[in-house]
Amino acid sequence: MGETQKRAAILAAASRLFAEKGYGNTPTSEIAREAGVAEGTLYHHFGSKDGIFLTIFDETADGYVAGAESLVREGRPGADTLRDFIGFHFDYLGRHATQFLIILRDFPERISGEKTGPAAFRRKKFSRLTSLLSEILDRGAADGTLRLRHPARDTAEMLRGILYGTTRHKMLGIIDVPLPRLATMITDFCGQALSPTPETCGKRPGGGRR
Amino acid sequence: MGETQKRAAILAAASRLFAEKGYGNTPTSEIAREAGVAEGTLYHHFGSKDGIFLTIFDETADGYVAGAESLVREGRPGADTLRDFIGFHFDYLGRHATQFLIILRDFPERISGEKTGPAAFRRKKFSRLTSLLSEILDRGAADGTLRLRHPARDTAEMLRGILYGTTRHKMLGIIDVPLPRLATMITDFCGQALSPTPETCGKRPGGGRR
Amino acid sequence: MGETQKRAAILAAASRLFAEKGYGNTPTSEIAREAGVAEGTLYHHFGSKDGIFLTIFDETADGYVAGAESLVREGRPGADTLRDFIGFHFDYLGRHATQFLIILRDFPERISGEKTGPAAFRRKKFSRLTSLLSEILDRGAADGTLRLRHPARDTAEMLRGILYGTTRHKMLGIIDVPLPRLATMITDFCGQALSPTPETCGKRPGGGRR
Amino acid sequence: MGETQKRAAILAAASRLFAEKGYGNTPTSEIAREAGVAEGTLYHHFGSKDGIFLTIFDETADGYVAGAESLVREGRPGADTLRDFIGFHFDYLGRHATQFLIILRDFPERISGEKTGPAAFRRKKFSRLTSLLSEILDRGAADGTLRLRHPARDTAEMLRGILYGTTRHKMLGIIDVPLPRLATMITDFCGQALSPTPETCGKRPGGGRR
DNA sequence: AATGAATGAGAATTCATTCAT
DNA sequence: GATGAATGAATTCTCATTCAT
C-alpha cells in the first residue's frame, strides 16, 4: 500500500490539474508539488508527462468500453439496449467526471498522430463504440424495435458524435441541464428519432428495465 | 494593398498551420516563415499570437452567427427554420472547413478562462446560438410544427451539443459520412425527434425550401 | 559586423570551454555566460548544442582537408608529397590547436552513429584523408621514391592512425616534445620506414622543397 | 559464489554497454537491468558509476602493463624486445577488445583532471608504457640493434602515440586491416624506421621469436 | 547483501515577445 | 510598416545517488 501511495497521489493531482487547466497548461512541476512528491518521482512511475495522461485515459476508457460491451452482450432488444447504452454513458460520466473532462479536453490532441503504435491503439478503444452502437442499431432493425432511415454504421457514427458533443458541452458548462435530466432528454430524443411506428411516438413499448 | 497582402498571407499561413497541427504546436516562427514575412511583422499586424487566433475566430464566428441570425429573422415556421438552421450550419462548415477545424481544436482552450473581457465576449458569440435555437423551438411549439418534450432552452442546449459533436467528429475524420449526407441525416434525426404528430412520423410536413 | 559579433563570441567561448572541459562537461548555460549572451541566442544561431560543435568541426575540418587536397594536387614526387603532408598536418594543427583538441576529444563521439545523414557526411571528410594518403603512396611507389611493403590502402590507413595518435597525445600533453620537433621526428620516422633504397637510409634524395 | 555472481554480472553488462554506447550514454539503470540486479546493488559493489569504470580499467590496464613489464624484463636485445612489445600489444588487444574499446572511448575523459589522487594514479599506469618503451630503445641503441635519430624518451612518446592511434582506429573500424596483419605492418614499419644499418633495410636481422 | 522507490540538482531546448535599426 | 537578432523564463526530462526496508 505504501508503495502505491505516491503513485496514486500523482494521479489524483494530475487529474485535478488537467481537468482544471488542461494538459498543456499544467507543468509537471505543479503536479509534483500538488502531489507532494519530487518531480523525478513522476518519471519514476510514469516515464513521461504523456504517460500520466495515458494512464488516466486508459483507466477511464477501459472501464467505459468494458461496461458498454457487457451491456450490449446482454442481448436485450435493440431499443432497450440503446436506452441502456445512453443511460450507462451518462451514469459512467457522472462517476468519472474529472477524468472525462480531461479526455474531452485533450483527446484527440494527445492521442492523435501516428497511424500505428500506442496512439492508434488508444484511438481504437473509442472506435469500438461505433461498432457497438452499430450492432445495437442492427439488432433493433432486426427485432423491429428501431427504425433506421440510414445505414446502421452511419447512424452509429452520428450517435457517437451526438453523445460526444452533449457530453462535452455538459462537462464544460455550456449545457446547464443537470446530468440525469440530460440523460433522459437524450434518451427521449434518440428514442423518438428512431421510433419504429407512428403510434408509439412519444411512448415506450413494453417495460424497459430502466 | 501591399500592406494588406502580408496581413492576408499571415492569416492564410496561420489558418493552415493551426488546422494542421493545432494552435499550441504552431510556433510563431513557423507562421512567419510560411507566410514569407519576418516574425516581427506578425506583431505589427496582430499584436500577439493570440491576436492571430482571435482574428481567425472572429471572422469565422461572426459570419456564422450573422448567417444564423438572418435565417431566424426570416420568420418561417419553426420546423422549417430548424431545418434551414441545420442546413446552413453544415453548408457554412463546408465553406470554412479549415477555420472550423481550428476553432474545434482550440476552442475553448483559447477562449475560456476569465469571466469578463475579450474571452468572455467571444464565448458569448457562440452562446448566441443557444438563444437562436431556443427561439426556433419556441416558435415551432407555438405554430405547432414542433413538439417539445422538455423546456425549449434545455432542448436548445442539447441541439447545440449535437451539432457540435457531429461537426467535430466529421472534421476529425471520426465520422466518414460525406458532409451533405451527414446534414440530411441530422436534419431527419432531429425532425423525427421533434415531430409534432404521430401521423407525420417519418414524413416531412409541407415543402421545406431546402 | 555587429550582427556577427555575438555569433563569433559564442564560437570563441564554446571552443575554449569544449577544449578545456570537453563537450559533455560544458553546459550551454556556461557557454552563454562566457560569451556574454542569453542562452536563447545560442539556439538562435546554431539550433542546438550539437550545432555549435559541428560548426567548429566543419570550419576546422574543411580547411584541413582542403589544404591536404591542394597539396596532393601539386603533383610533386611521392616522398616529397608525403613529407609535405606531414609537415602541413602539424603546421595546421599548430594554427588550430584549440579546435583540434575539441575534435580529438569528442570525435567520433559526436559524429559517429547513423550510417547516413549529416553525421556520416562529416565522417567522410576525414575518410578523405585515407584516400589522399593512399594516392601519395601509390605515386611514390610508381616514381620510385617510396617503397611499400604492404598494399597502399592499408598503409594509408595505418599512417592516418599514426598521425591521429601522435597528434592526440601531443594535444593532451602525453607527448612533451615541441610541435615542430615532433613533426620532424614523424617525418623522419615515416621517411625511414618507407625509404626505397638501402643506400639512402637516413638521407633524403634530391632537394625537397621543405 | 552467489555474492560474486552479481558482481561479475554487473561488470559484464557494464563492459558491453560502455563499449557499445560509451560511458556517458549508459545510465546506471540500464546496467542494472542488463545485469539482472537492482540499481542499489551497483552501489554496494562499486560505490559509484565511476567505480565500475575504474574496476574495468584497472583490470585491463594492470594486466597489460604487467605483461609489458615482464616482457621487457626478459632482457632480450632491443630490436627483438620492441618487436615483442608490439606483438604483445596487439595480441592483448585482441583478447580484451571490449575493454580496450571502453578505455579508448572514455580515457582520458574519466581519468584526466586532478593532478593527484586516484585519477592521477591511473594515468601513471599508462605513462609507465613510455618508460618501458624508452628502456627498450635505450637497450637497442646500446646493443646496436636499433638506431635512434632522436632522444629515446621522445621516440618512446612517439611510439606510444603510434600504437594508440592505430589501435583506436582499428577498434573504431576506421582501419579495416585484420588485427594480425596490422600488427605485422606496424612491426615492419617501426623496424624499418629504427633499423640500424643500411644493409639491413628491408630485412630482419637474426631470428626474432615471433 | 539486496532492493527499488524516491530524490533533486541540472541539462537542453522552446518560443512568444521585444526593440533597435 | 518591416525586420530579425536577441531575449530569458519556463518546461520536460535525465540520472547518479541515497536509504528505509
Side-chain angles (χ1 to χ4, degrees):
Chain A
M1 200 201 296
E3 59 186 71
T4 312
Q5 221 160 250
K6 300 221 165 181
R7 198 190 130 97
I10 291 165
L11 283 178
S15 291
R16 184 159 31 85
L17 291 167
F18 287 167
E20 201 178 300
K21 320 170 31 170
Y23 179 91
N25 300 320
T26 305
T28 52
S29 58
E30 194 170 351
I31 300 172
R33 179 159 26 85
E34 293 283 306
V37 303
E39 211 170 340
T41 309
L42 267 55
Y43 291 86
H44 180 65
H45 284 293
F46 302 100
S48 68
K49 189 185 174 187
D50 251 70
I52 300 174
F53 176 84
L54 292 177
T55 301
I56 296 169
F57 177 90
D58 282 346
E59 289 182 358
T60 306
D62 288 348
Y64 178 73
V65 172
E69 296 245 23
S70 84
L71 188 152
V72 172
R73 256 188 274 111
E74 285 184 24
R76 305 181 67 219
D80 295 327
T81 304
L82 180 59
R83 215 176 301 123
D84 289 350
F85 191 101
I86 297 171
F88 165 78
H89 171 88
F90 285 101
D91 185 55
Y92 195 91
L93 173 62
R95 284 184 286 115
H96 300 81
T98 304
Q99 289 88 334
F100 257 79
L101 185 50
I102 294 168
I103 294 175
L104 288 164
R105 282 186 77 142
D106 291 302
F107 177 93
E109 194 67 17
R110 288 291 102 204
I111 299 295
S112 68
E114 311 89 55
K115 296 286 178 210
T116 60
F121 176 73
R122 259 126 189 160
R123 272 200 305 279
K124 269 196 189 128
K125 285 187 182 167
F126 279 149
S127 80
R128 181 83 188 107
L129 293 188
T130 306
S131 305
L132 287 173
L133 282 166
S134 196
E135 193 179 332
I136 295 171
L137 295 175
D138 277 332
R139 188 187 301 172
D143 65 19
T145 56
L146 295 175
R147 176 173 169 205
L148 304 189
R149 283 162 193 82
H150 297 275
R153 182 84 201 174
D154 296 351
T155 308
E157 288 183 350
M158 181 184 69
L159 280 177
R160 190 177 148 204
I162 288 172
L163 283 179
Y164 175 85
T166 49
T167 300
R168 176 167 167 130
H169 278 193
K170 172 58 192 164
M171 295 315 292
L172 295 178
I174 298 171
I175 292 181
D176 268 337
V177 183
L179 204 47
R181 252 201 47 233
L182 180 60
T184 303
M185 283 177 66
I186 292 176
T187 305
D188 288 355
F189 196 83
C190 295
Q192 278 302 316
L194 301 170
S195 174
T197 60
E199 294 85 353
T200 58
C201 279
K203 298 192 232 155
R204 294 190 204 151
R209 261 204 318 204
R210 204 177 281 265
Chain B
M1 203 203 298
E3 62 187 70
T4 306
Q5 221 160 249
K6 300 217 166 186
R7 196 189 131 96
I10 291 166
L11 283 179
S15 292
R16 184 158 32 85
L17 292 168
F18 288 166
E20 205 176 295
K21 321 170 25 168
Y23 179 90
N25 300 319
T26 304
T28 52
S29 58
E30 195 171 350
I31 299 173
R33 179 160 25 87
E34 293 282 306
V37 303
E39 217 168 336
T41 309
L42 266 54
Y43 289 83
H44 269 288
H45 285 292
F46 301 100
S48 69
K49 189 186 174 188
D50 253 70
I52 300 173
F53 177 86
L54 293 177
T55 301
I56 296 169
F57 176 89
D58 282 345
E59 290 182 358
T60 306
D62 288 348
Y64 179 75
V65 173
E69 297 245 25
S70 85
L71 189 152
V72 172
R73 256 187 274 112
E74 285 185 22
R76 304 181 66 221
D80 295 328
T81 305
L82 179 59
R83 214 176 303 121
D84 290 350
F85 191 101
I86 297 172
F88 165 78
H89 172 86
F90 285 102
D91 186 54
Y92 195 89
L93 173 62
R95 283 184 286 113
H96 299 80
T98 302
Q99 290 88 336
F100 257 77
L101 190 48
I102 294 168
I103 295 174
L104 286 165
R105 286 188 75 143
D106 292 302
F107 177 90
E109 195 67 16
R110 286 294 101 204
I111 300 296
S112 68
E114 312 87 57
K115 295 289 180 205
T116 61
F121 176 72
R122 258 120 191 165
R123 272 203 304 282
K124 276 204 183 116
K125 284 189 181 165
F126 277 150
S127 78
R128 179 82 186 105
L129 295 188
T130 306
S131 304
L132 288 173
L133 282 166
S134 195
E135 192 179 332
I136 294 171
L137 295 175
D138 276 333
R139 186 188 304 170
D143 65 18
T145 57
L146 296 176
R147 176 172 168 208
L148 305 188
R149 282 162 194 82
H150 298 275
R153 181 84 200 173
D154 296 352
T155 307
E157 288 183 350
M158 180 184 70
L159 281 176
R160 192 178 146 202
I162 287 173
L163 284 179
Y164 174 85
T166 49
T167 299
R168 177 165 169 131
H169 279 194
K170 173 59 192 163
M171 295 312 292
L172 295 178
I174 298 171
I175 290 180
D176 267 338
V177 183
L179 205 46
R181 254 202 46 233
L182 181 60
T184 303
M185 283 177 66
I186 292 176
T187 306
D188 288 354
F189 197 84
C190 296
Q192 279 300 318
L194 300 171
S195 175
T197 60
E199 296 84 354
T200 58
C201 278
K203 299 192 231 159
R204 296 193 202 146
R209 261 202 318 203
R210 207 176 279 265
Chain C
M1 201 203 294
E3 60 186 70
T4 312
Q5 221 159 251
K6 301 221 166 185
R7 198 190 129 98
I10 291 166
L11 283 179
S15 291
R16 184 157 32 83
L17 290 167
F18 287 167
E20 202 177 301
K21 321 171 30 170
Y23 179 91
N25 300 318
T26 305
T28 52
S29 59
E30 194 171 351
I31 299 173
R33 179 158 28 84
E34 292 283 306
V37 303
E39 211 169 338
T41 309
L42 267 54
Y43 291 85
H44 179 65
H45 284 294
F46 301 100
S48 69
K49 189 186 174 188
D50 251 69
I52 300 175
F53 176 85
L54 293 177
T55 301
I56 296 169
F57 176 89
D58 282 346
E59 290 182 358
T60 306
D62 288 348
Y64 178 75
V65 172
E69 297 245 23
S70 84
L71 188 153
V72 172
R73 259 189 271 109
E74 286 184 23
R76 304 183 67 221
D80 295 328
T81 304
L82 180 59
R83 215 176 300 124
D84 290 351
F85 191 101
I86 297 171
F88 165 78
H89 172 85
F90 285 101
D91 185 54
Y92 195 91
L93 173 62
R95 284 184 286 115
H96 300 81
T98 303
Q99 290 88 335
F100 257 78
L101 185 50
I102 293 166
I103 294 175
L104 289 165
R105 283 187 77 142
D106 291 302
F107 177 92
E109 194 67 17
R110 287 291 102 206
I111 299 295
S112 68
E114 311 89 55
K115 296 284 179 211
T116 60
F121 176 71
R122 259 124 189 163
R123 274 201 303 280
K124 271 200 187 124
K125 284 187 181 168
F126 279 150
S127 80
R128 180 84 187 105
L129 295 187
T130 306
S131 304
L132 288 173
L133 283 166
S134 196
E135 191 179 334
I136 294 171
L137 294 174
D138 277 333
R139 188 188 301 172
D143 64 19
T145 57
L146 294 175
R147 177 174 167 204
L148 304 188
R149 282 162 192 83
H150 299 276
R153 183 84 200 174
D154 295 351
T155 307
E157 288 184 349
M158 181 183 69
L159 281 177
R160 190 177 149 205
I162 287 172
L163 283 178
Y164 175 85
T166 49
T167 299
R168 177 166 166 130
H169 278 193
K170 171 61 192 161
M171 296 314 292
L172 296 178
I174 298 172
I175 290 180
D176 268 338
V177 183
L179 204 46
R181 255 204 41 237
L182 181 60
T184 304
M185 282 176 66
I186 292 178
T187 306
D188 289 353
F189 196 83
C190 294
Q192 279 301 317
L194 300 171
S195 174
T197 61
E199 293 83 358
T200 58
C201 278
K203 298 192 231 158
R204 294 189 202 150
R209 263 205 316 208
R210 201 178 283 262
Chain D
M1 202 202 302
E3 63 186 70
T4 305
Q5 223 160 246
K6 299 217 166 182
R7 198 189 128 97
I10 292 167
L11 284 178
S15 291
R16 183 158 32 83
L17 292 167
F18 287 166
E20 204 177 298
K21 321 169 28 170
Y23 179 90
N25 300 320
T26 304
T28 51
S29 59
E30 197 172 349
I31 299 173
R33 179 159 26 86
E34 292 282 306
V37 304
E39 217 168 337
T41 309
L42 267 52
Y43 289 83
H44 268 288
H45 284 293
F46 301 100
S48 70
K49 188 187 176 189
D50 253 69
I52 300 174
F53 176 84
L54 293 177
T55 301
I56 296 169
F57 176 88
D58 283 346
E59 289 183 359
T60 306
D62 288 349
Y64 179 73
V65 172
E69 297 245 24
S70 84
L71 189 152
V72 173
R73 257 189 271 110
E74 285 184 23
R76 303 182 68 222
D80 295 328
T81 305
L82 180 59
R83 214 175 300 123
D84 290 349
F85 191 101
I86 297 172
F88 165 78
H89 172 87
F90 284 102
D91 185 55
Y92 195 90
L93 174 62
R95 284 184 286 115
H96 299 81
T98 303
Q99 290 87 338
F100 258 77
L101 191 48
I102 294 167
I103 295 175
L104 286 164
R105 285 188 76 142
D106 291 302
F107 176 92
E109 195 67 16
R110 286 291 102 204
I111 300 296
S112 67
E114 313 89 54
K115 295 286 180 209
T116 61
F121 175 72
R122 258 117 189 168
R123 273 202 305 282
K124 276 205 183 117
K125 284 189 181 165
F126 278 150
S127 79
R128 179 82 187 107
L129 294 187
T130 307
S131 304
L132 287 174
L133 282 166
S134 195
E135 192 179 332
I136 294 171
L137 294 175
D138 277 333
R139 187 187 302 172
D143 65 18
T145 57
L146 295 174
R147 177 173 166 207
L148 305 188
R149 282 162 192 82
H150 299 275
R153 181 84 201 174
D154 295 352
T155 307
E157 286 182 349
M158 181 183 71
L159 282 177
R160 193 179 146 202
I162 286 172
L163 283 179
Y164 175 83
T166 49
T167 299
R168 177 165 168 130
H169 279 193
K170 173 59 194 164
M171 295 312 292
L172 296 179
I174 298 172
I175 291 181
D176 267 338
V177 183
L179 204 46
R181 252 197 51 230
L182 181 61
T184 303
M185 284 176 66
I186 292 176
T187 305
D188 289 354
F189 196 83
C190 294
Q192 279 302 315
L194 300 171
S195 173
T197 60
E199 293 83 355
T200 58
C201 280
K203 296 191 235 161
R204 292 190 205 151
R209 264 203 315 205
R210 206 176 280 266

